[in-house]
C-alpha cells in the first residue's frame, strides 16, 4: 500500500473578475453574499493532503482515500496582528482584500471485486469550509457544488442546493447561488463486463451542499439535521463504458428520484416531469 503526504507551504491565488455585464452586476447587487464571494481578493494558503492507495497490491478489494486540509490568510492575518490590526478588522494585501478560512475535505473509495467481470464500487465524500476574521464568506472558487458527470448524474452541475433552497426556474443565472460551505455525497456503482471492450454499469447517487450561516436571499439553505435525509438529492441510472485501455469513454443516463427543493409535487418522489428527471452525461474516464 502507498501512503503519500503532500505539503504546499505557500500558494497565492488572486481571484478577479476581468469583465462584467449589466445583468451580472444586477445579480451581484441583489445578492450581497454572492457579491462578497466574487469580489477581487487574494487567497494566500497553506495546504496539506494525505492519500492512501492499495490498488498496486495483490489485495482482492481496493481501497483509496484522501484527506485534504487548507488554511488561507491566517499567517498573513497574524503578521498584520503583530502590527496592531485587530483580528476581525478588514485587512488588505497589495491593495486588495484577502480571504481567511479553514477548509477540510475527505474522500474514500472502495472497490469490491465480485469476480473478474463484476465489481461493486462505493464512494463517500464530505467537506467543510469555514470563513472568519478577515472574510465572512468563502471565495466563490473555494465553495462546494454538486451535480454533473462525476457526481449526481441525473442533475446538471450547480443545479442542487444549498439545502432545500429553491432555484428560480426562470433565471438562467440561478446556478450562481447554488454553492455552499458544507458538502456530503455518496455513490454506489455496480460495474460489469458486456463483451469485448464494452462494459456496463448501474448506479445510485445522493448528496447536497449547505450553508453554515443564514442567508436571507437563500432560505432553507443551512444544514438542519431534522431534515437531513430530505435534503439529499437522489438519483439512479445506468451507463456504458468503452474501454480503449489508454482511454475510457463513458455514457451515463441518470433518473432523478428526489429533489430537495419544492417542485410543486408532494411526496418523496417529487420530480413531476420525466424530462426534468433525466440527465445525460458524456465523459472521459470513470466517475470514481
Amino acid at each position: 500500500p502507498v501512503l503519500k503526504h503532500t505539503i504546499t507551504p505557500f500558494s497565492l491565488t488572486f481571484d478577479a473578475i476581468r469583465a462584467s455585464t449589466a445583468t451580472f452586476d444586477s445579480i451581484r447587487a441583489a445578492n450581497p453574499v454572492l457579491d462578497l464571494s466574487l469580489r477581487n481578493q487574494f487567497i494566500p494558503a497553506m495546504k496539506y493532503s494525505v492519500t492512501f492507495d492499495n490498488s498496486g497490491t495483490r489485495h482482492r478489494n481496493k481501497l483509496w482515500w484522501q484527506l485534504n486540509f487548507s488554511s488561507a490568510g491566517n499567517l498573513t492575518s497574524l503578521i498584520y496582528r503583530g502590527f496592531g490590526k485587530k483580528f476581525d478588522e478588514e485587512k488588505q494585501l497589495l491593495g486588495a482584500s484577502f480571504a481567511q478560512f479553514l477548509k477540510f475535505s475527505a474522500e474514500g473509495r472502495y472497490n469490491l471485486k465480485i469476480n473478474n467481470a463484476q465489481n461493486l464500487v462505493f464512494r463517500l465524500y464530505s467537506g467543510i469550509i469555514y470563513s472568519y476574521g478577515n472574510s465572512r464568506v468563502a471565495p466563490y472558487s473555494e465553495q462546494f457544488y454538486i451535480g454533473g458527470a462525476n457526481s449526481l448524474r441525473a442533475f446538471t452541475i450547480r443545479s442542487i442546493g444549498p439545502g432545500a433552497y429553491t432555484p428560480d426556474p426562470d433565471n438562467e443565472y440561478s446556478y450562481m447561488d447554488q454553492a455552499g460551505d458544507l458538502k456530503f455525497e455518496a455513490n454506489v456503482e455496480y460495474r460489469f463486463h458486456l463483451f469485448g471492450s464494452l462494459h456496463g454499469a448501474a448506479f445510485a447517487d445522493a448528496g447536497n451542499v449547505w450553508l453554515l450561516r443564514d442567508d436571507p436571499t437563500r432560505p432553507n439553505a443551512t444544514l438542519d439535521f431534522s431534515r437531513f435525509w430530505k435534503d439529499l438529492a437522489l438519483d439512479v441510472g445506468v451507463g456504458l463504458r468503452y474501454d480503449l485501455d489508454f482511454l475510457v469513454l463513458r455514457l451515463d443516463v441518470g433518473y432523478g428520484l428526489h429533489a430537495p427543493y419544492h417542485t410543486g409535487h408532494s411526496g418523496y418522489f417529487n420530480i413531476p416531469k420525466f424530462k426534468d428527471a433525466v440527465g445525460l452525461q458524456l465523459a472521459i474516464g470513470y466517475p470514481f
Side-chain angles (χ1 to χ4, degrees):
V2 175
L3 186 65
K4 182 175 72 174
H5 300 268
T6 303
I7 299 175
T8 304
F10 182 75
S11 68
L12 183 62
T13 304
F14 183 60
D15 281 358
I17 295 177
R18 301 292 300 275
S20 183
T21 64
T23 301
F24 183 72
D25 290 338
S26 67
I27 294 171
R28 293 184 63 178
N31 191 332
V33 174
L34 178 66
D35 182 56
L36 279 174
S37 72
L38 289 170
R39 63 180 174 171
N40 294 351
Q41 60 185 316
F42 283 99
I43 308 176
M46 297 180 289
K47 302 178 182 179
Y48 167 73
S49 69
V50 55
T51 306
F52 174 87
D53 186 0
N54 74 348
S55 60
T57 68
R58 295 182 179 180
H59 284 80
R60 176 182 177 87
N61 303 319
K62 308 302 181 183
L63 174 64
W64 179 96
W65 56 259
Q66 185 176 80
L67 305 177
N68 296 290
F69 174 78
S70 59
S71 169
N74 295 298
L75 179 59
T76 310
S77 182
L78 184 63
I79 294 173
Y80 273 80
R81 187 71 181 91
F83 285 93
K85 285 277 189 177
K86 294 181 180 179
F87 181 75
D88 57 352
E89 183 178 345
E90 177 72 21
K91 299 174 284 292
Q92 294 189 336
L93 178 65
L94 302 178
S97 178
F98 64 87
Q100 190 172 5
F101 60 78
L102 296 174
K103 185 177 183 180
F104 175 80
S105 66
E107 181 179 3
R109 306 171 189 173
Y110 186 70
N111 189 326
L112 177 65
K113 183 177 180 180
I114 301 173
N115 55 41
N116 290 334
Q118 300 177 87
N119 291 68
L120 192 60
V121 187
F122 303 88
R123 173 180 176 263
L124 282 175
Y125 181 96
S126 63
I128 182 172
I129 183 168
Y130 177 69
S131 301
Y132 59 96
N134 203 46
S135 57
R136 302 291 288 176
V137 180
Y140 195 74
S141 61
E142 295 288 339
Q143 294 179 25
F144 297 103
Y145 60 89
I146 206 162
N150 298 323
S151 181
L152 274 66
R153 283 163 276 186
F155 304 94
T156 56
I157 293 177
R158 298 180 189 271
S159 64
I160 295 295
Y165 167 68
T166 305
D168 183 356
D170 299 321
N171 183 0
E172 62 179 315
Y173 300 104
S174 62
Y175 69 90
M176 295 181 63
D177 291 329
Q178 298 189 261
D181 309 308
L182 290 163
K183 180 178 178 178
F184 175 79
E185 184 177 333
N187 315 83
V188 59
E189 185 167 286
Y190 170 57
R191 298 172 182 170
F192 51 92
H193 179 247
L194 292 172
F195 55 85
S197 298
L198 190 65
H199 300 257
F203 59 83
D205 310 307
N208 203 341
V209 295
W210 295 267
L211 300 181
L212 283 176
R213 298 182 174 97
D214 287 326
D215 179 1
T217 65
R218 291 180 286 178
N220 303 315
T222 55
L223 178 61
D224 183 346
F225 285 104
S226 67
R227 66 164 195 258
F228 176 77
W229 297 108
K230 290 184 179 180
D231 275 1
L232 294 180
L234 176 66
D235 69 45
V236 294
V238 294
L240 293 174
R241 291 91 171 87
Y242 190 68
D243 191 346
L244 299 173
D245 291 332
F246 63 92
L247 186 70
V248 176
L249 303 177
R250 174 163 55 94
L251 169 65
D252 285 328
V253 180
Y255 183 79
L257 298 178
H258 174 73
Y261 51 82
H262 180 64
T263 64
H265 193 79
S266 61
Y268 183 80
F269 303 101
N270 62 349
I271 304 179
K273 297 180 180 179
F274 179 81
K275 67 179 183 66
D276 294 334
V278 175
L280 182 66
Q281 307 288 349
L282 290 171
I284 295 176
Y286 288 98
F288 47 86

